[in-house]
Amino acid sequence: MYIAMNRFRIPPENEQEFRERWLGREVHLRTVPGFVSFQFLKGPTHEDYILYASHTVWESYEAFVGWTQSEQFRAAHAHAGNRKPLMAGPPVFEGFEVLQNIEN
C-alpha cells in the first residue's frame, strides 16, 4: 500500500471557501485502478493559518503513479490554476510506503 498526502496552510479568511471547494468538487478517484480510500482532514489552527490535508490510500506506489498520469487526474486538477489562490504557499506533498497496516 501507498499513502499520498498533501498539506495545505489556509489563512482563516479563506477557510470557508477552501472547504467548500474541496467538499463540493467532483470526485474522480473511484474510477482509478488501485484506489482504496480518501480522507479530507482538518488539523490544528495556528495564529495565521489552519492546517488541512488530503490523505489518499492506494494499493501500491504504481497505482498512485498511474493516477498522476491519468485522464481523471487531469480532470480533477483542470481548474487548479484558474481560481483565486486560497492557500498560504504551495501544498506540501508527502508520500509513504505502508510498512504495517492494522485493521479492526
Side-chain angles (χ1 to χ4, degrees):
M1 288 174 51
Y2 185 78
I3 295 175
M5 294 184 68
N6 280 292
R7 294 174 180 256
F8 309 94
R9 293 178 302 134
I10 308 303
E13 65 271 16
N14 293 341
E15 181 182 24
Q16 187 61 36
E17 188 175 349
F18 178 80
R19 286 175 65 142
E20 288 172 3
R21 190 178 289 180
W22 269 87
L23 296 172
R25 77 197 189 293
E26 184 178 355
V27 177
H28 299 272
L29 291 167
R30 289 186 188 99
T31 65
V32 180
F35 168 72
V36 175
S37 67
F38 173 84
Q39 295 78 37
F40 179 53
L41 309 170
K42 180 179 179 181
T45 298
H46 299 270
E47 187 174 316
D48 56 344
Y49 69 92
I50 301 117
L51 183 64
Y52 279 84
S54 64
H55 177 271
T56 311
V57 180
W58 297 94
E59 289 177 358
S60 65
Y61 174 74
E62 292 75 21
F64 165 72
V65 170
W67 154 248
T68 66
Q69 298 172 352
S70 70
E71 287 299 321
Q72 295 95 323
F73 180 88
R74 284 187 278 288
H77 297 87
H79 302 291
N82 300 340
R83 298 181 180 174
K84 168 186 152 191
L86 300 176
M87 299 177 285
V92 176
F93 174 80
E94 298 174 315
F96 299 90
E97 176 186 354
V98 176
L99 300 178
Q100 183 180 43
N101 183 46
I102 300 172
E103 295 184 19
N104 191 5

